[in-house]
Amino acid sequence: NAGVTQTPKFQVLKTGQSMTLQCAQDMNHNSMYWYRQDPGMGLRLIYYSASEGTTDKGEVPNGYNVSRLNKREFSLRLESAAPSQTSVYFCASSPRWQLRPQHFGDGTRLSIL
Amino acid sequence: DAKTTQPPSMDCAEGRAANLPCNHSTISGNEYVYWYRQIHSQGPQYIIHGLKNNETNEMASLIITEDRKSSTLILPHATLRDTAVYYCIAASGGGGKLIFGQGTELSVKP
């Protein structure tokens, strides 16, 4: 089925470790997004890519980096994981920048000890 | 983004239409109305969006009043799997920011 695929689904890290969350969409969407969702906090935008070749900071970019590898793929990297980054991470996409996200991945549940 | 107001909860019988209202009286001319839902412990799910005209897709219909100050999301034949919190937002321009308010907790009952 068409959609947004995130890997991994679950991950446990130790403080200071690094990892990359992968996201791919097969709908030929121009724009892609990374969010985190914490209990009682709603969705918070980490980084976004309005189109291939561009990335910008969202509301909570500190401690993260992103790469828009091509039109399909948008990865999120934690360089030195901290317990405060324990969260559920969602990748999303939209056909164009002017529209809010229309497809979401199933999420990555990340725990940092 | 314009402020939206939704009832905190609603019940619907399985198989019946669920009509979820949203008030956005301060919406501006270029703001779209979007509907999302989130089932407990799952990720957000986009449902539908519209600007002026009524819209329909495989999941739902969106009815926007002529003055655009309110809208109704219609799930034509609600199932137990439609039990979720439904969020209405009014937003324009670019940006991935999604600020969900309290939403409406829809309970579909057998």
Side-chain angles (χ1 to χ4, degrees):
Chain A
N1 290 337
V4 177
T5 303
Q6 283 182 241
T7 55
K9 293 191 186 306
F10 301 94
Q11 185 71 47
V12 178
L13 292 178
K14 294 180 180 178
T15 298
Q17 287 185 315
S18 62
M19 80 162 295
T20 299
L21 308 186
Q22 307 286 354
C23 175
Q25 53 91 9
D26 57 6
M27 297 163 289
N28 203 36
H29 282 179
N30 284 316
S31 302
M32 298 184 72
Y33 314 84
W34 275 105
Y35 299 89
R36 59 179 289 175
Q37 187 167 37
D38 304 296
M41 296 292 290
L43 277 174
R44 291 187 290 172
L45 181 65
I46 306 172
Y47 268 94
Y48 63 89
S49 171
S51 60
E52 184 180 359
T54 70
T55 60
D56 279 291
K57 295 177 180 179
E59 304 166 80
V60 288
N62 291 346
Y64 306 94
N65 284 302
V66 290
S67 296
R68 183 76 182 264
L69 304 170
N70 47 55
K71 193 171 186 179
R72 291 187 63 247
E73 297 171 287
F74 187 41
S75 62
L76 177 73
R77 182 160 178 84
L78 286 70
E79 291 291 352
S80 179
S84 60
Q85 295 177 304
T86 293
S87 188
V88 182
Y89 292 84
F90 293 102
C91 179
S93 70
S94 64
R96 59 183 191 273
W97 173 235
Q98 290 81 4
L99 295 176
R100 299 297 154 112
Q102 295 182 12
H103 290 268
F104 290 83
D106 290 335
T108 296
R109 282 156 178 76
L110 181 62
S111 293
I112 298 160
L113 307 177
Chain B
D1 298 352
K3 178 177 165 57
T4 60
T5 305
Q6 299 175 252
S9 64
M10 292 182 65
D11 289 341
C12 178
E14 190 178 18
R16 303 297 295 269
N19 297 282
L20 293 90
C22 180
N23 180 286
H24 31 79
S25 58
T26 61
I27 195 170
S28 61
N30 61 348
E31 286 184 313
Y32 286 85
V33 177
Y34 294 85
W35 283 84
Y36 294 86
R37 72 182 182 184
Q38 193 156 18
I39 297 169
H40 181 61
S41 78
Q42 294 185 23
Q45 182 181 23
Y46 161 84
I47 301 172
I48 199 167
H49 76 278
L51 185 63
K52 295 180 185 177
N53 300 323
N54 299 336
E55 302 287 346
T56 295
N57 62 21
E58 65 279 2
M59 284 185 67
S61 294
L62 174 61
I63 308 297
I64 303 174
T65 58
E66 195 169 338
D67 63 7
R68 302 208 329 121
K69 293 186 176 182
S70 65
S71 61
T72 301
L73 177 75
I74 302 172
L75 308 178
H77 305 287
T79 71
L80 299 179
R81 286 178 294 182
D82 292 320
T83 292
V85 181
Y86 288 75
Y87 300 99
C88 161
I89 67 170
S92 68
K97 220 170 178 180
L98 286 175
I99 300 175
F100 293 153
Q102 294 296 317
T104 296
E105 187 165 7
L106 176 69
S107 295
V108 180
K109 300 181 185 298

